[in-house]
Amino acid sequence: EIDEVIKDPDGDLLMVKFEDDVFKMFSKNGFCVDSTITETEDVSYVSSPYLPFTLRDLKNPLASNAHRASESATGVSNLKDELDVQLSLSRVVILVGEWIPFGCNQIMQLTQKLGVNDRVKGGYFTSTIDKKSTETVLELPVGLTKVNVNSYDMAQWINIEAEVEFPEDEGITQIENFGIRYQRDGTTLYGLKLEAVMEAVLNDISLDNMARVMADIHIDSSKVTQSLTSE
């Protein structure tokens, strides 16, 4: 079975290269095929924004999508594998951390961009640049990030709720809502509470399904920050 993966039909060892944003497996005899290693499978899930109590203002509670947990069961998945569930998790909270080269100036810019001093804070954001700013029409690809400001210290940090509205395959329901904290030292934290994954509401969430959720979160969290920090 291993030989089927690492060798071409003629038995020559496969090598790997990255070309045109795709990993390609090829051999010396001219065999070449695109790898599917970067293709992720999607499951339906519902999440709420989360941040640790020590990092937020308790007077401003984060939003909850618990009342929408049942929507996950109405969605489908595009899994190609037949799952044999051996491990499951309950009341799952996910925290993803990364470092971004921020400073006081960048945090100030971000807080002003999100309108912390305006009567209506936050809004919809995209990383798309308007290259024809003099025209009266702006066409954007489907998928924006809806942001609500939760709390902030103008030059030190900001806590926000970001609801991802990126398009998914037909039938897949994903209510993806991050709690995000940006700090002047570059510390960035994304947090979610899983309300439901497929038919599992809060409890007995399959670890196999969790793996698909984590892959989705890693991709979308980077897209959210790109939307907020792009000029």
Side-chain angles (χ1 to χ4, degrees):
E1 294 182 359
I2 295 178
D3 286 346
E4 293 178 0
V5 177
I6 65 174
K7 293 183 178 180
D8 70 4
D10 294 328
D12 287 339
L13 188 66
L14 289 173
M15 295 174 283
V16 180
K17 63 180 178 180
F18 188 72
E19 184 176 283
D20 298 328
D21 295 329
V22 176
F23 284 102
K24 296 181 181 292
M25 296 185 294
F26 67 98
S27 63
K28 294 179 180 179
N29 62 13
F31 177 85
C32 184
V33 63
D34 291 347
S35 171
T36 59
I37 189 66
T38 56
E39 294 181 8
T40 58
E41 299 170 329
D42 288 318
V43 296
S44 296
Y45 63 91
V46 176
S47 65
S48 297
Y50 175 85
L51 285 173
F53 293 117
T54 54
L55 296 181
R56 60 186 178 89
D57 185 354
L58 298 182
K59 297 178 182 178
N60 298 317
L62 296 171
S64 173
N65 291 318
H67 62 288
R68 302 183 62 182
S70 59
E71 295 180 31
S72 175
T74 64
V76 299
S77 71
N78 59 9
L79 298 182
K80 301 175 184 177
D81 298 329
E82 293 185 9
L83 304 183
D84 180 16
V85 178
Q86 299 295 328
L87 292 174
S88 62
L89 304 172
S90 297
R91 302 182 182 275
V92 178
V93 170
I94 300 171
L95 294 174
V96 179
E98 66 178 351
W99 182 82
I100 300 175
F102 274 157
C104 286
N105 292 338
Q106 285 74 24
I107 290 294
M108 284 283 289
Q109 277 187 322
L110 181 59
T111 54
Q112 291 172 0
K113 182 177 182 177
L114 296 178
V116 297
N117 293 322
D118 298 340
R119 184 164 58 179
V120 179
K121 300 175 176 60
Y124 284 88
F125 294 85
T126 177
S127 59
T128 302
I129 298 175
D130 184 7
K131 297 181 180 179
K132 298 180 180 179
S133 58
T134 58
E135 296 186 3
T136 57
V137 177
L138 173 62
E139 294 185 6
L140 294 174
V142 178
L144 296 173
T145 302
K146 181 182 178 182
V147 174
N148 292 317
V149 177
N150 179 269
S151 53
Y152 64 93
D153 184 322
M154 199 69 178
Q156 302 297 321
W157 53 267
I158 183 169
N159 291 338
I160 64 173
E161 300 172 28
E163 183 175 355
V164 175
E165 299 180 359
F166 301 144
E168 301 294 342
D169 292 343
E170 185 177 357
I172 294 177
T173 301
Q174 291 187 351
I175 300 172
E176 192 174 8
N177 209 334
F178 290 94
I180 307 179
R181 181 182 177 91
Y182 297 107
Q183 294 186 175
R184 60 171 288 185
D185 63 358
T187 301
T188 303
L189 186 67
Y190 309 92
L192 303 93
K193 176 185 177 184
L194 286 183
E195 305 291 355
V197 179
M198 299 302 293
E199 296 84 6
V201 177
L202 204 60
N203 298 316
D204 298 324
I205 297 172
S206 162
L207 193 62
D208 295 303
N209 285 335
M210 268 290 302
R212 275 75 177 185
V213 173
M214 288 301 301
D216 200 50
I217 288 172
H218 275 284
I219 294 171
D220 289 348
S221 60
S222 296
K223 289 181 179 179
V224 168
T225 292
Q226 184 181 7
S227 298
L228 297 179
T229 56
S230 60
E231 293 295 335

